[in-house]
Amino acid sequence: MSSPCSRRTFVSSLLATGFGLAGGRSDPVRASSQPLRFGLTPVVLDDRIGFLAAWADWIERQLGRPVVFVQRSRYREILDLLLQGRLDLAWICGYPFVRNLSRLDLIAVPRFRGRPLYQSYFIVGADSEIQRLHDLEGRLFAWADPDSNSGYLYPRFRLTSDGRDPDRFFRRTFFTWGHPRSVEAVAEGLADGAAVDSYVWETLARGHPELTAQTRVLERSPDFGFPPIVAGPALSEPDRQAIRRVLLSQVQEAGGRALLNELNLDSFSIETPDLYDDIARMAGRITGGEGA
């Protein structure tokens, strides 16, 4: 996790470049007709098309340039577009972030329930007889995405730490390509268990309680850095500063706060990459530290 010293140093460097963290609505830094291309993975629920249009409009007014959200069902598709310069920034998982630290810049981190943190939830059916993780041995299990921390990396690390082989522990596994779909798979009895993003499960519980009521949280992971918003190589430094300022100021403006509430988030904050050190350590254990 981030140390107070490293975070103070990071914040001080931003302030030195002219970042103010207070002060209401941010004025557009520069007008541009070129759209800002913002990639989204299924960390944002798939049924939020109307919301995304409203959020794009709000950012456009603050930033002074068009904003286009680009959604893909697989994390790797968004990451590839970002690294190829076909997206400017994206909301991604901490796992692909730590595997591409040298090519991605941390813009802002959402705060959920007061902290820039989330967990992995192991879930089973609400009426399932399964009472502990090891009871899932020989069962059908749903992974979210191979580039997901909460839906793939952590559960594999958890089993490996117990001396279990995650490729042999379950009778069969499959990818749902999205945390909401993993919840649905367990709720509908298509899987005996799954590992899902706690933010997604809790947000579904708020908006679709009839769905999450058909599941039960079996085990919660330690805290991890929340999926970050990052810039790719195509986004210039002035534009990085501008979008960071807009996101940090969102909580200070009434319309921005309403959008954050719809996202079930408190705000965006400045954090340092070492917030994701625990994920990097797990990746090193599981994959041998190989890059994406």
Side-chain angles (χ1 to χ4, degrees):
M1 296 300 170
S2 300
S3 68
C5 181
S6 61
R7 190 174 186 278
R8 283 197 299 269
T9 302
F10 184 69
V11 173
S12 298
S13 68
L14 286 178
L15 292 173
T17 63
F19 277 91
L21 303 187
R25 174 178 172 172
S26 61
D27 295 323
V29 172
R30 66 184 183 88
S32 172
S33 60
Q34 192 72 17
L36 181 79
R37 302 160 299 176
F38 196 147
L40 297 174
T41 65
V43 72
V44 176
L45 305 186
D46 293 336
D47 61 353
R48 307 302 300 274
I49 295 175
F51 165 79
L52 291 178
W55 195 20
D57 180 68
W58 186 87
I59 296 174
E60 285 179 5
R61 286 185 280 110
Q62 307 301 311
L63 198 59
R65 65 183 293 186
V67 174
V68 175
F69 281 115
V70 177
Q71 289 186 282
R72 293 291 186 271
S73 61
R74 302 189 181 190
Y75 289 32
R76 181 55 60 96
E77 293 179 90
I78 287 296
L79 181 64
D80 287 346
L81 291 173
L82 189 61
L83 295 177
Q84 292 164 9
R86 296 165 63 188
L87 291 175
D88 298 304
L89 71 160
W91 191 356
I92 66 171
C93 181
Y95 183 25
F97 174 59
V98 300
R99 293 162 69 193
N100 294 274
L101 276 175
S102 64
R103 304 176 68 187
L104 299 174
D105 182 32
L106 187 57
I107 296 295
V109 178
R111 297 184 72 87
F112 173 56
R113 296 182 171 177
R115 304 185 303 163
L117 304 171
Y118 82 125
Q119 296 171 293
S120 173
Y121 284 177
F122 282 99
I123 62 170
V124 296
D127 299 324
S128 172
E129 73 279 11
I130 294 170
Q131 296 300 319
R132 60 195 184 99
L133 180 60
H134 291 171
D135 293 339
L136 281 168
E137 186 171 7
R139 305 291 188 121
L140 184 60
F141 193 80
W143 306 116
D145 187 289
D147 290 304
S148 167
N149 171 51
S150 58
Y152 189 70
L153 175 66
Y154 171 74
R156 292 178 68 83
F157 175 82
R158 170 72 175 82
L159 289 170
T160 300
S161 297
D162 275 359
R164 308 299 180 102
D165 182 347
D167 293 321
R168 298 177 180 272
F169 181 77
F170 303 108
R171 174 171 59 86
R172 189 164 68 85
T173 63
F174 63 96
F175 287 104
T176 63
W177 306 107
H179 295 277
R181 298 188 192 100
S182 292
V183 177
E184 291 171 357
V186 173
E188 295 172 6
L190 301 177
D192 297 306
V196 300
D197 181 318
S198 65
Y199 161 70
V200 173
W201 193 93
E202 297 291 354
T203 301
L204 282 171
R206 189 176 78 160
H208 301 280
E210 73 288 349
L211 175 62
T212 53
Q214 298 177 68
T215 70
R216 170 168 51 87
V217 178
L218 182 69
E219 183 176 302
R220 292 169 169 83
S221 76
D223 293 328
F224 299 112
F226 201 95
I229 293 177
V230 301
L235 194 63
S236 70
E237 184 57 31
D239 286 337
R240 294 179 191 207
Q241 294 177 8
I243 187 61
R244 182 181 282 121
R245 182 163 57 247
V246 166
L247 293 174
L248 293 176
S249 71
Q250 184 163 345
V251 70
Q252 300 169 0
E253 196 268 336
R257 284 195 302 273
L259 291 166
L260 285 168
N261 183 62
E262 283 198 56
L263 275 173
N264 196 23
L265 294 174
D266 302 319
S267 62
F268 293 98
S269 62
I270 293 175
E271 304 295 335
T272 52
D274 57 359
L275 180 66
Y276 302 93
D277 280 356
D278 288 344
I279 297 177
R281 281 191 286 270
M282 288 193 302
R285 284 272 305 274
I286 295 298
T287 68
E290 296 174 1

